[in-house]
Amino acid sequence: MKLQRVLALTKKEMKKTVREPAVLFMIFLFPVVFVFAFGASFGGVGGGQPVYQVGVVNMDEGNSVNASQIFLTALSDTKILNVQSYVDNQTAQNALSQGSIQAVVIIPSDFSQSFASYQAAPNDPNAWTNATVSLYLDKGSLVATQAVPPIIQQVLTAIAGQSQQASLSPFRLETASLVEVKTQSALDFMAPGMFTFASIFLIMMVAQSFATDRENGMINAYASHRRHRQSL
Amino acid sequence: MNESAITVENLVKKFEDVTALDGISLQVEKGELFGLLGPNGAGKTTTINILCGLTKPTSGAAKVGGYDVQKETAKIKELIGVCPQETAIYPYLTGAENVELFGNLHAMDKDTLKTRRAMLLEKMGLTGDAKRRAEKYSGGMKRRLSLILALIHDPQIAFLDEPTVAMDPQSRHAVWDFIKELKKEDKTIILTTHYMEEAEELCDRVGIIDHGKLIALGTPQELISKNKVKNLEEVFIALTGRKIREEV
């Protein structure tokens, strides 16, 4: 029979929500206004594109076709990546661990060779020499692990004949470091904030409801019967 | 009529340095309509609040339906219905919805609730307005609705705290008739009021409280003849030298 009381109170609250426009505003419009207001204040809306620092170790031995140069130019042209060259992997790794760059791209020695084999027979994957571009990422930077690999993958695909399908490329991008790339949806990003807002509003509204009920004697009316208090 | 529904012994209630009740003792029989009279601030509502289990007394003892108000409040609350001084209704619900809500909170079954709701709304003259939101009601209508909410579950003991305050004479008489009917159903009713004519019209016995003390107890006729006056208003003047209500 307790369900009957809970349902009665729920029904009452639903009616209140529909019949009192101020409640509707508090529930639906106020959080939206807040999210936009805080988003504009702290989210850097209109602040332009972020730029990631990427170190490149060019081990390409190609002479006739300098594919690595095309690749580097293409990376710089994205305007999202700021490319810096390093002599060897160790120096680049040091820079990564010091936090001055967020990713290291290692161009393998057979990069140009692979590119040339692809150009010679673009439609025959069996004739290609496959090259693996290695990528090291800053484990601490959530943005870098999310944003940098797709950009580099896209550039690699683009230089290998503008194909959007990575499977048709002789280049493979391998994340060499043991960073587990976790996909994060917009909901994951928004959920904590929304829950916080929802909780704050819920607490505010319940407190307001209690204050009003106390003021007009409703709490006493409830309290004078034990069953009412249990339902509350 | 010889079984006590309410027993109060030497009840004292202090709010910091204010003594609201100063040693009140009385008994109310089962099926009796008892009036607590007194001016504003005399201690009527404090007495009701203690008997309902809403406030703890500073000292003294009280029993309602045989249960101690300090130790067995849960059992007392099963027996009573309270119409508080404040109009405790939800303004955004209609009259009928308010009654239905309280009926459901008392876990009444659907059919009984429906029957009693219709009966009480009819008796209080609110049937025609039952589907209007309570916020649109007049002050008197709100008070009548509040009374229905207190009695929807058919309690054995009803505490009515100034049920007719701010009512026009027509509404007041409707409430009086309703209270008389309750008495016929053998309900015990405690009524507080500062309208002496109301107490004279309705109550079997009255207790007059002033400054937290019970200064007179008996049937209205007893008190009138004992003090050799014409009505209860004059009884109060004879006892205190003051009028119960100052003329506006």
Side-chain angles (χ1 to χ4, degrees):
Chain A
M1 292 294 266
K2 268 184 187 173
L3 188 65
Q4 184 183 356
R5 295 173 201 136
V6 175
L7 283 178
L9 285 169
T10 311
K11 204 171 155 188
K12 181 209 85 176
E13 284 302 317
M14 301 279 271
K15 281 178 179 159
K16 181 182 179 183
T17 308
V18 176
R19 292 177 187 178
E20 295 209 327
V23 176
L24 276 177
F25 174 78
M26 285 293 282
I27 290 177
F28 296 110
L29 289 179
F30 212 46
V32 174
V33 171
F34 250 60
V35 165
F36 276 100
F38 275 85
S41 307
F42 301 112
V45 173
Q49 283 274 14
V51 175
Y52 306 108
Q53 306 294 329
V54 176
V56 174
V57 182
N58 193 353
M59 293 157 79
D60 187 23
E61 293 168 352
N63 295 323
S64 56
V65 195
N66 199 346
S68 56
Q69 207 52 53
I70 300 169
F71 176 52
L72 288 177
T73 313
L75 282 181
S76 300
D77 285 350
T78 59
K79 299 201 193 313
I80 302 170
L81 306 177
N82 185 10
V83 180
Q84 294 169 31
S85 289
Y86 288 87
V87 194
D88 55 30
N89 194 1
Q90 193 55 49
T91 326
Q93 292 293 333
N94 288 343
L96 180 66
S97 62
Q98 283 162 13
S100 54
I101 51 175
Q102 288 153 321
V104 174
V105 178
I106 313 286
I107 301 174
S109 56
D110 53 358
F111 190 77
S112 285
Q113 192 192 339
S114 173
F115 186 68
S117 71
Y118 170 75
Q119 284 198 319
N123 298 318
D124 183 10
N126 292 327
W128 299 346
T129 307
N130 290 319
T132 302
V133 175
S134 304
L135 180 66
Y136 295 85
L137 292 161
D138 174 6
K139 291 179 190 176
S141 170
L142 196 67
V143 183
T145 56
Q146 294 288 308
V148 174
I151 297 167
I152 294 174
Q153 181 66 61
Q154 207 178 350
V155 171
L156 276 177
T157 312
I159 61 166
Q162 283 80 42
S163 168
Q164 289 301 311
Q165 287 170 304
S167 58
L168 291 176
S169 166
F171 309 123
R172 204 161 63 83
L173 182 67
E174 183 189 74
T175 307
S177 66
L178 296 173
V179 174
E180 271 190 42
V181 180
K182 214 177 95 186
T183 49
Q184 194 158 27
S185 69
L187 185 68
D188 294 333
F189 223 68
M190 300 274 284
M194 293 305 284
F195 273 115
T196 310
F197 272 126
S199 310
I200 291 169
F201 283 118
L202 200 67
I203 292 165
M204 271 170 61
M205 288 178 68
V206 170
Q208 191 192 13
S209 178
F210 264 96
T212 315
D213 280 356
R214 189 183 157 82
E215 202 174 307
N216 63 22
M218 197 56 87
I219 294 293
N220 266 358
Y222 282 135
S224 64
H225 204 288
R226 183 167 168 245
R227 288 168 180 168
H228 288 172
R229 199 188 294 220
Q230 283 173 337
S231 307
L232 275 178
Chain B
M1 286 283 281
N2 51 10
E3 192 183 337
S4 284
I6 295 169
T7 316
V8 176
E9 282 171 26
N10 205 20
L11 208 58
V12 175
K13 176 69 186 176
K14 289 181 181 173
F15 294 104
E16 294 173 357
D17 53 348
V18 177
T19 305
L21 292 182
D22 194 2
I24 284 185
S25 299
L26 56 89
Q27 281 195 338
V28 179
E29 309 301 327
K30 198 180 170 196
E32 190 177 14
L33 206 168
F34 186 84
L36 268 179
L37 313 183
N40 289 333
K44 305 185 297 286
T45 301
T46 307
T47 311
I48 296 269
N49 283 347
I50 290 172
L51 294 177
C52 297
L54 293 177
T55 311
K56 297 268 179 220
T58 308
S59 67
K63 282 186 174 183
V64 175
Y67 300 113
D68 191 296
V69 290
Q70 294 196 72
K71 293 174 192 157
E72 296 164 300
T73 42
K75 284 183 175 164
I76 290 173
K77 285 172 182 181
E78 298 286 328
L79 296 176
I80 61 170
V82 186
C83 177
Q85 206 173 79
E86 307 91 351
T87 311
I89 56 172
Y90 285 109
Y92 47 83
L93 296 181
T94 66
E97 285 167 349
N98 265 297
V99 182
E100 190 184 328
L101 169 67
F102 275 75
N104 279 320
L105 289 177
H106 285 290
M108 293 174 71
D109 74 76
K110 222 173 178 178
D111 292 335
T112 318
L113 172 58
K114 209 173 165 184
T115 318
R116 270 194 72 78
R117 182 178 70 178
M119 185 265 285
L120 289 170
L121 286 169
E122 179 65 39
K123 281 187 179 169
M124 283 287 146
L126 289 174
T127 308
D129 300 289
K131 288 184 178 172
R132 284 173 64 208
R133 286 197 207 172
E135 64 195 347
K136 310 273 185 205
Y137 283 12
S138 69
M141 288 163 81
K142 286 178 183 169
R143 293 295 303 158
R144 280 182 277 157
L145 181 60
S146 187
L147 197 58
I148 296 176
L149 301 184
L151 300 169
I152 182 69
H153 60 300
D154 201 14
Q156 279 305 305
I157 302 170
F159 291 97
L160 312 180
D161 197 356
E162 304 199 7
T164 60
V165 75
M167 272 189 189
D168 59 58
Q170 198 185 345
S171 296
R172 184 171 299 163
H173 279 96
V175 172
W176 287 4
D177 290 341
F178 178 70
I179 292 173
K180 282 176 193 168
E181 275 190 47
L182 278 181
K183 192 182 142 38
K184 279 182 199 159
E185 292 169 22
D186 206 27
K187 307 284 183 203
T188 308
I189 303 160
I190 312 294
L191 176 81
T192 76
T193 183
H194 52 243
Y195 297 115
M196 289 296 177
E197 67 278 17
E198 182 168 298
E200 222 170 302
E201 168 85 19
L202 296 173
C203 298
D204 297 325
R205 280 193 310 144
V206 293
I208 300 178
I209 303 183
D210 190 34
H211 296 307
K213 288 188 181 205
L214 192 68
I215 56 173
L217 182 67
T219 65
Q221 283 314 315
E222 273 173 15
L223 295 179
I224 289 167
S225 58
K226 191 176 165 188
N227 290 282
K228 298 183 179 102
V229 289
K230 288 177 196 162
N231 53 39
L232 278 179
E233 183 80 43
E234 290 180 11
V235 171
F236 189 79
I237 297 169
L239 290 170
T240 64
R242 290 179 287 125
K243 282 189 175 182
I244 195 161
R245 277 180 297 151
E246 295 303 325
E247 297 298 330
V248 182

